[in-house]
Amino acid sequence: MTVEEALTYIHSVCWKGSIPGLSRTRELLSRIGNPEKKLKFVHVAGTNGKGSTAAMLASILQHAGYRTGLYTSPYILRFHERMQVDGEQITDGELAEITEFVRPHAEAMADHPTEFELVSCIGFEYFKRRQCDIVVLEVGMGGELDSTNVIETPEAAVITNIGLDHTEYLGDTLEKIAAAKAGIIKPGGTAVIYRAAPSVEAVFADRCRQVGAQLVKADFDALRPRMHSLEGQVFDAAGYPALYLPLLGEHQMRNAAVVLAAVDVLRQRGWQLSDVQVRRGLADVRWPGRFEVLRRSPLFLVDGGHNPQCIEALSRNIRDYLAGRPLTVLTGVLADKDYHCMYAGVAPFVREYVTVTPDSPRALPAAELAKYLAGFGKPVTVCGTIEGGVAEAIRRAGPDGVVLAYGSLYMVGPIREAAKASQES
């Protein structure tokens, strides 16, 4: 099997959406020898920030000398990003070989796995073959019924910021969504949480009492910003003066506080993580598509945020990093997203819009989005392709302007490639 054949097979698995239950994942893992039982994990759930948090934890563990797996979704540029060991993506050969190994076992099942369930099992087998010391495992959606939740009690169960997303599956209140996420907290374990409303924290506390787990809350009170620029930010945290983090935004500083709390838990579990390794891990972390600077003239940033909390963080970043600089916004959305919440908070900073159609069958046509955005009273230009939209936004911004691309995570990869190509041409 070639890597092309492997990817074709993975993506052609009968897409059933998100089907509650772990039975299919457990059956497939049993058929291939239960690779997950030979691994240790940090399990990361949440609505916002779980990818950034997972990347920080993986970077710290890697700097501490542990062979560290990282499992994330979705990908930005290529599928291989979803499975990494020590910062290196799964190779074509490994992906093809493991998919070929797993395929007959999946096809022998009476109830076939979904695509995400299949990919998760491929990931577990990959991390086992690479003999990872520890795997930072990001939940796909929710927690309790997510296919990653087949693992036994992890070294730490980390739950990041909770917001309203995937409400059709997880519930229509923060408390219901928190209850779904709390499902990753297991007997005898420790949960590390991003601080939230008392009613949300109570959900996690109740779950910990039910299963006999410890609850640790990130220390936001000790955070003290020192400086920030488009190169990164420096801040103090509990026991750590002047930490440097290349990820931008106040919310990333809070994500780092969650990471530091998780580090303390891991130390209590016997993992050797020095302060120097923690500093180096945070300083070296990379996580694309989160208020990321792609080029400087004009200044061009891309952000994958698409729900109300992400847009709130984006608006705050605009005020903190781009104050007084009118924006040319390059944007596109999926039709089934509540995109109305994505634009009102950013509109006061916008000079003009350029709309594109994301590469997805669920995409809202650029012309339809343009009609909606015209209601904000700013000029709107419709472009036929993402590449054309990038070129048009750069032209309209001018060398001293600012382009901000946001709207759908599906656009981040093509926008990054087009912006890079425009700088090289």
Side-chain angles (χ1 to χ4, degrees), residues 393-415:
I394 289 172
R395 186 184 72 80
R396 289 185 167 274
D400 299 322
V402 179
V403 177
L404 173 63
Y406 82 101
S408 171
L409 205 56
Y410 284 86
M411 300 192 310
V412 171
I415 285 173

Side-chain angles (χ1 to χ4, degrees), residues 136-336:
V136 182
L137 184 70
E138 181 188 342
V139 166
M141 183 181 69
E144 181 178 14
L145 300 178
D146 185 80
S147 65
T148 62
N149 205 32
V150 294
I151 65 171
E152 296 174 354
T153 302
E155 301 298 287
V158 178
I159 301 178
T160 65
N161 200 4
I162 301 296
L164 293 173
D165 204 5
H166 301 298
T167 54
E168 67 273 29
Y169 298 108
L170 306 179
D172 56 1
T173 69
L174 293 179
E175 292 77 18
K176 289 178 182 177
I177 291 173
K181 312 286 186 187
I184 72 166
I185 303 171
K186 294 190 171 68
T190 301
V192 179
I193 65 168
Y194 189 108
R195 299 306 305 269
S199 61
V200 172
E201 292 190 0
V203 173
F204 300 129
D206 288 345
R207 171 70 178 183
C208 286
R209 280 192 292 270
Q210 290 167 12
V211 301
Q214 181 184 2
L215 180 64
V216 175
K217 301 177 183 180
D219 187 356
F220 290 174
D221 294 336
L223 294 172
R224 297 286 183 274
R226 288 197 180 197
M227 62 80 66
H228 65 265
S229 70
L230 290 171
E231 278 67 48
Q233 56 183 319
V234 178
F235 59 93
D236 300 334
Y240 295 91
L243 286 170
Y244 170 71
L245 183 67
L247 305 181
L248 305 180
E250 185 180 334
H251 61 294
Q252 295 290 13
M253 182 172 64
R254 292 196 181 103
N255 289 337
V258 175
V259 168
L260 295 175
V263 164
D264 287 341
V265 170
L266 289 172
R267 285 169 170 165
Q268 293 168 18
R269 299 274 299 182
W271 298 87
Q272 301 299 308
L273 305 169
S274 72
D275 286 0
V276 170
Q277 291 161 346
V278 170
R279 287 181 176 277
R280 289 175 178 168
L282 290 178
D284 281 353
V285 70
R286 298 292 180 268
W287 195 238
R290 278 70 177 177
F291 207 68
E292 179 188 11
V293 177
L294 301 182
R295 55 176 288 168
R296 294 284 178 169
S297 181
L299 181 62
F300 194 122
L301 300 101
V302 64
D303 191 271
H306 58 273
N307 62 36
Q309 281 185 312
C310 292
I311 299 305
E312 182 182 337
L314 176 60
S315 299
R316 188 164 55 243
N317 278 353
I318 293 170
R319 290 191 296 270
D320 290 345
Y321 293 90
L322 306 172
R325 303 185 68 176
L327 307 180
T328 298
V329 166
L330 172 64
T331 187
V333 294
L334 301 185
D336 55 4

